Amino acid sequence: MTSTDTSTTATPSASPSSPSSTEGGGKLSKLSIVGYGAGDAANNLAFTTATMFLLIYYTDVAGISAAAAGTLLLVVRLFDAFADIFAGRIVDRTYSKRFGKFRPFIMFGSVPLLLLSAAAFSVPQIGESGMLLYAYLTYAALGLAYSLVNIPYGSLAGAMTQDASERAKLASARSIGGAVVGAALGIFIAPLIVPGADLQVLFTSMTLGFVVVGTLLYLFTAFTAKERVARDVQHVSMKQSFAVLKHNKPLLLLCISSFIFLTGMLALSTVQLYYLRDVLHALPLYAVISIVQLVATFGLAAFIPSIVRRFGKRLGYIVGAAVMAVGGVMIFFAPADLVWFGFTGLVLCQIGIVLVNMLVWTLEADTVEYGEWKTGVRAEGITYALFSFTRKTGQAVGGALAAFSLAWGGYAAGAAQQSAHAELGIRAGAGLIPLIASVLAIVVMIFYPLTDKRHKEIVNEIKERRALTGAAAPITPSLSTAAFAAPRGANTPIPPRQ
């Protein structure tokens, strides 16, 4: 990987032999799609493990109070969000002629990330203050390492293809990779989390095993998912990065909606185990809900390209959020003795989450082209970083609200039976917060302006610019959005329509 470039001027486009020089409008190979999906499977060995089990590890194994754990999750996940911005800048300023912009981070950042995941689940018994300090440091380091791998990984999709259907396939593959890991954790790990079990041995063995499996998956991604979309700027300056963000209204609205939606999703993910175990008294159903999520992921993945072509990504996103809202209502109001009713609410939430999470990555990739069209600079790293920043803040708020809802209800760690008020706190985290969040996310997406039709027009205009300037020419101010939008008669070049 080359050293970072601090130049503020645009550099020529990649040479034909570089990994990113080919226009990414063609079909992707099945191997590259599967390889990309493997990367998110590896990501979720660290991410989903933390979101599903870290709170219960802190409260039930390390002995950290729910309130202190909630504050920890909020503070560290907010730090993680800013780490995403840092990672985005590093990515945009780095380029390797051999491996491109993104794959070197995946190759060399995987082992440190997975080792830090194991460290986060190995809190030593060194007193309350010492344990909290250790938890803060290891979880913060894990978040930074995750940003330096996940930001390049997420940006990679936009550099592999510009075709909407092909991007939908990548989003489906990514969702499947994550769902397989989530289902495995739910089926094989969650049922083992019962009072009296030696959970420290369980989590230590699991996370160390993930170091080996995750490294192999990351390497598979790095060597199969190639960058194919041409870029005119290899090393993007700070000024160029913020110019891209400043003028990107679709990205701003998508970030706001995702922040809200992730708040609800993380609240549910964090409290779901408590809900099944302590409210419905049906912990074995955790494995079933994981299987349902996996089946829903595979089922929807087959139809996502068709959904995108027929209905568009925005409408699909709104429908998914609406399904989660219905599930949230059922979870919150389900009587404890109507297990099937509460379980159905969980199923609906998972279906809605799967649909939104499949479509949101294709929406994010579209905003990269919008930013390039507005400014002449293609900045996948900082675009994805801002998007991930808002998602991380949503995760921070959602996870913290879930923990605080437990503390508000008076959750008693290790108790065989929780009080009625504690059950209400669990219901609020699993049902009420997702309900409110999904409704607000829908309201924001109603105003999202970048339709699939408009995105296609923008991609065509970008190609016309490149044809006008030549493959080796840098972007010029005359080809900015202002030039395209100039009034008739102005002395600015207008690309010919084909």
Side-chain angles (χ1 to χ4, degrees):
M1 183 161 43
T2 63
S3 60
T4 56
D5 188 344
T6 57
S7 172
T8 59
T9 59
T11 59
S13 61
S15 65
S17 62
S18 69
S20 59
S21 62
T22 306
E23 284 291 349
K27 298 290 184 180
L28 295 172
S29 69
K30 292 182 179 179
L31 183 63
S32 64
I33 294 172
V34 173
Y36 187 74
D40 210 43
N43 278 341
N44 280 277
L45 292 177
F47 177 78
T48 301
T49 300
T51 56
M52 286 176 64
F53 301 128
L54 196 56
L55 177 59
I56 202 163
Y57 173 79
Y58 284 154
T59 59
D60 290 20
V61 181
I64 298 172
S65 70
T71 302
L72 187 157
L73 294 179
L74 177 62
V75 171
V76 174
R77 285 174 178 169
L78 286 176
F79 165 80
D80 290 350
F82 285 97
D84 282 351
I85 300 296
F86 169 76
R89 284 296 306 134
I90 294 295
V91 170
D92 278 340
R93 296 173 62 196
T94 307
Y95 186 80
S96 165
K97 290 184 177 180
R98 182 176 181 183
F99 296 112
K101 290 183 72 68
F102 310 118
R103 292 184 295 149
F105 292 92
I106 299 172
M107 295 170 64
F108 301 115
S110 57
V111 173
L113 165 62
L114 295 165
L115 287 174
L116 284 167
S117 178
F121 282 91
S122 302
V123 178
Q125 295 297 314
I126 51 177
E128 183 177 356
S129 298
M131 289 190 297
L132 269 176
L133 178 61
Y134 178 91
Y136 270 97
L137 292 176
T138 53
Y139 194 28
L142 172 62
L144 178 59
Y146 184 76
S147 294
L148 289 171
V149 173
N150 184 55
I151 296 300
Y153 170 78
S155 304
L156 182 59
M160 291 176 67
T161 180
Q162 292 176 311
D163 183 87
S165 295
E166 295 302 296
R167 281 184 175 172
K169 293 177 183 177
L170 291 177
S172 297
R174 175 176 187 162
S175 297
I176 289 172
V180 168
V181 171
L185 292 172
I187 294 169
F188 300 111
I189 303 300
L192 302 178
I193 303 177
V194 295
D198 191 344
L199 298 181
Q200 183 61 71
V201 172
L202 171 66
F203 286 123
T204 299
S205 302
M206 176 184 67
T207 52
L208 289 178
F210 287 169
V211 174
V212 177
V213 176
T215 300
L216 294 176
L217 289 171
Y218 276 129
L219 291 177
F220 180 51
T221 298
F223 288 105
T224 57
K226 304 295 181 66
E227 300 168 28
R228 303 167 64 245
V229 176
R231 63 171 44 84
D232 298 283
V233 180
Q234 294 174 358
H235 304 276
V236 182
S237 70
M238 178 73 77
K239 181 179 180 181
Q240 291 169 329
S241 292
F242 283 101
V244 170
L245 300 180
K246 180 180 178 181
H247 300 287
N248 204 325
K249 181 180 178 181
L251 176 62
L252 174 63
L253 291 177
L254 183 63
C255 285
I256 294 172
S257 182
S258 291
F259 163 79
I260 298 170
F261 186 83
L262 263 290
T263 298
M265 174 182 157
L266 260 291
L268 172 61
S269 298
T270 304
V271 182
Q272 184 172 256
L273 190 148
Y274 295 89
Y275 181 74
L276 285 169
R277 186 187 66 182
D278 300 317
V279 176
L280 299 183
H281 304 289
L283 182 58
L285 288 180
Y286 201 106
V288 179
I289 198 69
S290 299
I291 295 172
V292 169
Q293 183 182 19
L294 184 61
V295 172
T297 301
F298 276 96
L300 286 173
F303 294 101
I304 282 294
S306 299
I307 291 172
V308 169
R309 287 192 298 268
R310 179 169 296 186
F311 302 107
K313 294 184 280 290
R314 184 183 69 170
L315 180 58
Y317 181 107
I318 290 173
V319 170
V323 172
M324 187 172 91
V326 174
V329 172
M330 298 178 68
I331 290 169
F332 185 68
F333 290 105
D337 56 347
L338 288 182
V339 176
W340 67 269
F341 192 77
F343 179 76
T344 301
L346 290 173
V347 169
L348 289 177
C349 282
Q350 293 303 326
I351 292 173
I353 289 170
V354 167
L355 182 56
V356 169
N357 280 343
M358 282 187 176
L359 293 172
V360 75
W361 303 114
T362 64
L363 289 164
E364 183 278 330
D366 290 352
T367 65
V368 172
E369 274 84 45
Y370 186 89
E372 182 180 4
W373 174 74
K374 291 284 284 186
T375 66
V377 175
R378 187 175 184 86
E380 297 103 330
I382 197 64
T383 301
Y384 186 86
L386 180 63
F387 179 62
S388 185
F389 171 86
T390 54
R391 287 176 65 85
K392 286 283 186 68
T393 54
Q395 293 163 11
V397 173
L401 287 177
F404 292 150
S405 69
L406 295 181
W408 169 76
Y411 169 76
Q417 180 70 41
Q418 300 292 330
S419 68
H421 201 260
E423 290 186 9
L424 180 61
I426 294 172
R427 289 175 183 275
L432 186 60
I433 295 174
L435 166 62
I436 296 172
S438 55
V439 171
L440 293 177
I442 290 171
V443 172
V444 175
M445 284 304 290
I446 290 174
F447 299 97
Y448 183 78
L450 187 55
T451 63
D452 291 357
K453 178 181 179 182
R454 183 64 184 129
H455 174 256
K456 186 175 181 180
E457 293 171 352
I458 286 172
V459 170
N460 288 334
E461 289 188 24
I462 291 172
K463 291 179 180 179
E464 290 171 2
R465 294 184 197 181
R466 291 199 181 108
L468 187 66
T469 59
I475 290 293
T476 62
S478 64
L479 288 178
S480 67
T481 302
F484 278 79
R488 292 186 179 182
N491 295 323
T492 51
I494 305 295
R497 297 279 183 181
Q498 294 181 351

